[in-house]
Amino acid sequence: DAGVIQSPRHEVTEMGQEVTLRCKPISGHNSLFWYRQTMMRGLELLIYFNNNVPIDDSGMPEDRFSAKMPNASFSTLKIQPSEPRDSAVYFCASSLQGRGEAFFGQGTRLTVV
Amino acid sequence: AQSVTQPDIHITVSEGASLELRCNYSYGATPYLFWYVQSPGQGLQLLLKYFSGVTLVQGIKGFEAEFKRSQSSFNLRKPSVHWSDAAEYFCAVGALNAGNMLTFGGGTRLMVKP
C-alpha cells in the first residue's frame, strides 16, 4: 500500500480564498483523522471520522472549516474563507479501529498570505 | 480528558550516547501509548506502541519504551544515538473507544552532536 496520500503537498493562497485539502486513507482503514500542526499549538486534532461518519469535530476551530468523507477512500478539508492564521501543516491520518496506531500522510503545508 | 506531557522541549546528546525522552500521560482507563518521530518536512512515523501486556516494548530503529503505570510514564530510550536520530519525537495516548483518536504531547526536539 502507498500509505496515506495527501494533496497538494504545498499550497499558497491569498486571504479570503477557498482552500481544499485532500486525503486518501490506507485501503481498509475505517477511521480517518485531520490534524493541524503549528509551532504555537503543536498537533491538534480537528476532526475524526469513523466509517465515513464524522464522530468528533470539536477541534474544528471555526465555521470556516468543514470536512467531508463521501466514501471510504477520500476525504476533504475545506477552509472558506482562508485567513493568514490558518497557515499551518495539515495532516491526515488513518487507522483500523481496534488496532490503535494511526498512519500519517506527508502533510499539506498551507500558507495564507 | 486525556493529555500528554513531554517536559523537555529540546534535548542535545552526543552521538553514541544514550538517550531517554520523557513522557507523562493522563487517562482515565488503561492507556494505549505511542511514540512517533517526525523528520523535518515529513509526516509522523510510528516508532513503537504499547497496548497491554509486556511493559517494555521494542520499536524500530533500536528504540524501546517502558510503560510505568505507577508513574503514568512511557519514556523512550535508545542505548546509542546516531546522527540520523535527530528529529522531533512525539508521545501520544490513544482512546480505542473513540476510534483510536490520538492526543499528542508537545514534542521533544532531539539534536545530536558529532
Side-chain angles (χ1 to χ4, degrees):
Chain A
D1 200 313
V4 177
I5 300 173
Q6 292 186 245
S7 64
R9 288 294 309 277
H10 302 274
E11 176 81 41
V12 180
T13 191
E14 291 185 347
M15 183 174 62
Q17 297 299 305
E18 176 180 299
V19 175
T20 299
L21 311 182
R22 296 173 175 80
C23 175
K24 177 178 167 54
I26 292 173
S27 177
H29 282 187
N30 57 359
S31 293
L32 184 139
F33 311 86
W34 283 99
Y35 285 88
R36 179 171 67 175
Q37 186 178 34
T38 60
M39 291 290 292
M40 292 298 296
R41 301 176 68 90
L43 275 160
E44 305 172 274
L45 177 67
L46 300 179
I47 187 169
Y48 126 68
F49 292 86
N50 190 43
N51 293 322
N52 312 338
V53 176
I55 303 298
D56 186 342
D57 65 355
S58 58
M60 297 284 261
E62 300 171 39
D63 291 345
R64 299 184 294 106
F65 286 70
S66 62
K68 293 182 180 180
M69 192 165 186
N71 57 61
S73 59
F74 184 65
S75 177
T76 60
L77 177 68
K78 185 179 293 186
I79 308 172
Q80 165 63 16
S82 58
E83 296 183 4
R85 60 197 170 112
D86 301 330
S87 298
V89 181
Y90 291 81
F91 287 103
C92 176
S94 71
S95 71
L96 185 60
Q97 188 168 6
R99 293 295 301 274
E101 66 265 44
F103 295 86
F104 282 75
Q106 294 284 73
T108 295
R109 181 174 294 278
L110 173 65
T111 303
V112 183
V113 298
Chain B
Q2 58 206 56
S3 66
V4 177
T5 302
Q6 294 179 245
D8 304 305
I9 297 175
H10 293 100
I11 282 187
T12 301
V13 299
S14 298
E15 190 168 16
S18 63
L19 171 70
E20 183 168 27
L21 302 183
R22 296 184 291 164
C23 172
N24 294 98
Y25 68 89
S26 173
Y27 187 60
T30 300
Y32 297 94
L33 296 160
F34 309 84
W35 275 99
Y36 284 84
V37 60
Q38 183 181 31
S39 297
Q42 301 298 311
L44 280 74
Q45 180 184 21
L46 180 69
L47 281 177
L48 48 79
K49 61 190 178 188
Y50 169 79
F51 284 178
S52 64
V54 175
T55 56
L56 183 63
V57 295
Q58 303 297 321
I60 61 171
K61 305 184 181 187
F63 285 92
E64 67 178 26
E66 187 170 13
F67 170 61
K68 294 185 177 180
R69 184 187 300 274
S70 61
Q71 298 176 21
S72 297
S73 69
F74 189 57
N75 294 348
L76 182 72
R77 300 194 294 250
K78 186 169 184 178
S80 177
V81 169
H82 188 262
W83 64 267
S84 60
D85 294 325
E88 187 145 22
Y89 292 79
F90 292 92
C91 181
V93 62
L96 278 193
N97 63 347
N100 314 334
M101 192 168 64
L102 297 179
T103 299
F104 285 87
T108 298
R109 182 167 297 279
L110 173 66
M111 290 172 280
V112 181
K113 293 189 300 185

